[in-house]
Each structure stands twice: as C-alpha cells, then as structure tokens.
C-alpha cells in the first residue's frame, strides 16, 4: 500500500505542472503561463542547477529535467537519485541508468515509470507514465505539446497518451519504489498516529482552526461535518505528519 502512495505522490506532483510554459527570458519562472517563449528557460532547470548542479543548466532542452524535478520534489534529492539511478539531463543516459539495474522494459508500463520516446529506435524525449489501461499509455511530459505524436522541445508540460503499440515508444524505466514506500503513511497509520499525538495534549483552539484551514484548502476531508480533518486528500510523508503533530 505504501508503495502505491509513493507513486500517487509522484503523479500528483507531475500532474500539478500540466500547463506550464517555458519562458523567453529567465524571468517569472514560477508562473505557469507568464513570459512564455521558446528560449527553454524553466523553473525545473533553475531548481536543478541549485539543488544538484552539474549536469544541469538552464536555457536547454528540459524534458529530462522535468522528470528529475518531479522526483526530487516528491522524494527529496537523495531518494530521487536512488530511484532514477543517477543524474542526467540527457535522455539516453537516463535510460542507461535503468538498463544497468535491469529495470528497463519495452512493454507493460506501470504508473510511475519513466517513459522514453523517440524516432527510429533512438531515444530523444521522456516523461512520466500516469496510467496504462491495456491499450493506451497515459503520460505527463515536459517540453512537449498537446499533439498526439512525440513532440520533443515543444515548450510545455502536457498530459498525453499513446497506443501501447506506438512505434515512438522506445522503453520504460521502472524505479524501485520500495526504496521510498515506507516513507508514506496509509490512512490507518495516519489515524493511529494522530490519535496517539492528540491524546497526549489538549486540542487548542489554534489547532482546531488549523484543522479547519486544512479542510478548506482541500488537503484533508471532513467526513463527519465537524470541520475537523479526517482523511488526507493526498499521500502524506511520515516526516510531514511529524511536523503537523508537533505544531
């Protein structure tokens, strides 16, 4: 179950970026649509330069940067590197990291896989698999467009889909999500930990207000109508729960 929560967390990160447009200058990088252009400036490359450094740089093709950014935002730098096998802004190298670990496949994609696409069996583009219904593979890709074919260097983050038989699909890299699975809490674990934490202290008016804000923001559900948090609306990291419980 925790592995599934880890994958859900990655997909949530990626899907939230759909609609982002690259910029014509290194300005307004955090705005999804402002300053749109074709100079390859993005927040993904900027952040990777700050977080990792080499091999990343700004104002370059950024589809692989987008994938790496999503993994780091979701799992942190160290775990992301383990999941991806290493750092690379070059798609063939990223595929080779999975190949070296016998985690590169040509069929049966699963949510959370890194998809590698291209032409004439040469890898030139990448993204994240969000689903496979048995006939169609669904993805979120950076630096592409909404057109139905493989579009490298398209300038946007888009949700896309391809027939599983599409010749532009070269391979799938499968991260070992057991590395991070235990970092995420199931609903039952959250409930048990919350009850243990709150049983040791009086729930203050401040805490009640915080719970109500959590519900209003959509982070938690209010199942019984009392304005308090019941179930989280997205996977929750153990470290994040610890911060909430001790606030």
């Amino acid at each position: 179950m925790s592995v599934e929560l880890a994958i859900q967390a990655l997909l949530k990160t990626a899907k939230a970026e759909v609609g982002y447009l690259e910029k014509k200058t290194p300005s307004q990088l955090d705005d999804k649509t402002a300053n749109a252009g074709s100079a390859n400036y993005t927040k993904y490359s900027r952040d990777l330069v700050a977080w990792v450094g080499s091999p990343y740089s700004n104002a370059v093709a950024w589809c692989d940067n987008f994938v790496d950014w999503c993994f780091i935002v979701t799992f942190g730098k160290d775990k992301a590197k383990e999941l991806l096998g290493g750092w690379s802004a070059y798609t063939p190298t990223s595929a080779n990291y999975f190949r070296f670990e016998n985690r590169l496949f040509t069929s049966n994609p699963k949510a959370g896989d890194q998809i590698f696409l291209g032409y004439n069996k040469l890898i030139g583009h990448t993204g994240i698999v969000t689903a496979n219904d048995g006939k169609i593979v669904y993805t979120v890709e950076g630096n592409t467009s909404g057109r139905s074919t493989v579009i490298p260097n398209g300038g946007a983050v888009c949700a896309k889909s391809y027939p599983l038989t599409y010749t532009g699909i070269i391979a799938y890299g499968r991260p070992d999500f057991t590395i991070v699975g235990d970092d995420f809490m199931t609903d039952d674990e959250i409930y048990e930990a919350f009850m243990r934490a709150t049983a040791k202290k009086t729930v203050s008016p401040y805490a009640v207000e915080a719970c109500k804000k959590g519900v209003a923001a959509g982070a938690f559900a209010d199942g019984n109508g009392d304005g308090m948090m019941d179930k989280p609306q997205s996977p929750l990291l153990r470290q994040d729960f610890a911060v909430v419980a001790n606030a």
Side-chain angles (χ1 to χ4, degrees):
M1 178 62 176
S2 294
V3 167
E4 292 304 314
L5 290 176
I7 294 171
Q8 288 176 33
L10 174 66
L11 301 190
K12 181 178 181 181
T13 299
K15 290 177 179 179
E17 297 303 309
V18 170
Y20 184 91
L21 302 177
E22 71 179 52
K23 313 306 178 186
K24 59 186 176 182
T25 64
S27 175
Q28 295 177 281
L29 298 182
D30 292 300
D31 191 291
K32 268 195 171 181
T33 57
N35 193 34
S38 57
N40 281 320
Y41 287 104
T42 68
K43 66 177 182 179
Y44 313 115
S45 299
R46 175 204 63 193
D47 291 346
L48 288 169
V49 169
W51 297 340
V52 180
S54 179
Y56 302 105
S57 59
N58 218 322
V60 296
W62 50 277
C63 62
D64 212 333
N65 290 9
F66 170 74
V67 172
D68 293 0
W69 184 93
C70 288
F71 272 79
I72 291 178
V73 167
T74 308
F75 305 113
K77 186 172 71 172
D78 292 340
K79 291 290 180 67
K81 187 175 183 180
E82 286 188 75
L83 290 165
L84 295 167
W87 300 129
S88 177
Y90 184 52
T91 50
T93 299
S94 294
N96 278 334
Y97 285 141
F98 288 109
R99 181 177 287 110
F100 295 153
E101 298 180 4
N102 295 316
R103 305 191 71 82
L104 194 70
F105 306 93
T106 58
S107 61
N108 301 319
K110 295 182 179 181
D113 286 353
Q114 183 170 356
I115 186 172
F116 295 97
L117 305 113
Y119 302 99
N120 299 321
K121 299 184 179 181
L122 297 175
I123 294 172
H125 185 61
T126 191
I128 296 171
V129 173
T130 59
N132 168 15
D133 67 6
K135 294 182 179 179
I136 304 293
V137 59
Y138 300 86
T139 67
V140 172
E141 302 164 27
N143 203 13
T144 188
S145 78
R147 291 171 57 188
S148 60
T149 56
V150 176
I151 305 293
N153 209 29
V157 178
C158 299
K160 302 193 69 169
S161 62
Y162 309 92
L164 289 172
T165 56
Y166 179 55
T167 57
I169 299 172
I170 310 299
Y172 306 96
R174 182 156 303 152
D176 180 7
F177 286 105
T178 62
I179 294 170
V180 294
D182 286 341
D183 291 348
F184 289 84
M185 301 175 73
T186 65
D187 288 347
D188 289 342
E189 288 174 325
I190 293 170
Y191 179 76
E192 179 183 359
F194 184 76
M195 294 304 292
R196 287 183 179 181
T198 55
K200 296 179 181 178
K201 59 185 178 182
T202 302
V203 179
S204 67
Y206 175 82
V208 172
E209 288 304 310
C211 288
K212 290 180 179 179
K213 288 180 180 178
V215 171
F220 286 80
D222 176 14
N224 56 13
D226 64 357
M228 298 292 283
M229 300 182 292
D230 296 320
K231 290 186 177 181
Q233 298 303 289
S234 61
L236 187 67
L237 279 165
R238 296 182 190 280
Q239 64 193 45
D240 293 337
F241 177 83
V243 172
V244 173
N246 289 288

